[in-house]
Amino acid sequence: KDIANSLPVFDRIRENINKQFSKPGNTTILLKGKEEDIEVLKAYNHGELAEVLGVLDVRLDLQIAQDLEIEEIVTGFVLCDRCRRLTALPGQDTCQRCTAVLKDLEEES
């Protein structure tokens, strides 16, 4: 991973995401792009990409596009009562990550 060369790509994509979505932190996106952009993005896992791009989750479409294309993926998740992100399954109060944290806290006390 070459962070220094990745930053301009991340900045450009994040700028487009912020223009396109009113609440990017609650959005799962599908990215298509130029070959050189996709190569940069493939070096990072989904969690790292989501964090640096300021979105809930990121999926990469490995088909090469002429320019950056960002699409929203509707996931069906609901708001987690603990972290306030759209990561809980319907019918559950907390997402899997928060459920695990709460379980660990209960075991510690």
Side-chain angles (χ1 to χ4, degrees):
K1 296 179 188 178
D2 184 356
I3 300 291
N5 288 326
S6 301
L7 288 176
V9 174
F10 292 151
D11 288 342
R12 184 170 37 80
I13 294 172
R14 189 173 44 241
E15 184 177 318
N16 281 290
I17 289 169
N18 290 335
K19 286 179 184 175
Q20 190 170 340
F21 302 102
S22 61
K23 294 185 177 181
N26 290 335
T27 307
T28 297
I29 61 169
L30 174 67
L31 285 176
K32 294 181 187 178
K34 297 178 182 177
E35 186 172 4
E36 57 269 17
D37 292 344
I38 296 298
E39 288 304 313
V40 168
L41 298 172
K42 285 184 353 185
Y44 300 89
N45 68 45
H46 291 267
E48 292 168 330
L49 289 175
E51 187 71 29
V52 76
L53 297 176
V55 296
L56 186 61
D57 196 12
V58 176
R59 301 286 179 350
L60 294 180
D61 185 331
L62 300 180
Q63 286 185 287
I64 305 305
Q66 293 291 327
D67 202 5
L68 179 66
E69 297 177 22
I70 305 169
E71 298 175 24
E72 181 175 6
I73 298 174
V74 178
T75 61
F77 289 111
V78 296
L79 195 65
C80 172
D81 288 346
R82 181 175 178 270
C83 67
R84 311 301 296 163
R85 297 187 75 185
L86 293 172
T87 53
L89 294 171
Q92 296 184 349
D93 294 330
T94 56
C95 65
Q96 290 179 341
R97 184 179 63 89
C98 289
T99 299
V101 169
L102 292 171
K103 183 180 176 186
D104 288 347
L105 289 173
E106 284 178 10
E107 291 174 0
E108 287 178 7
S109 54

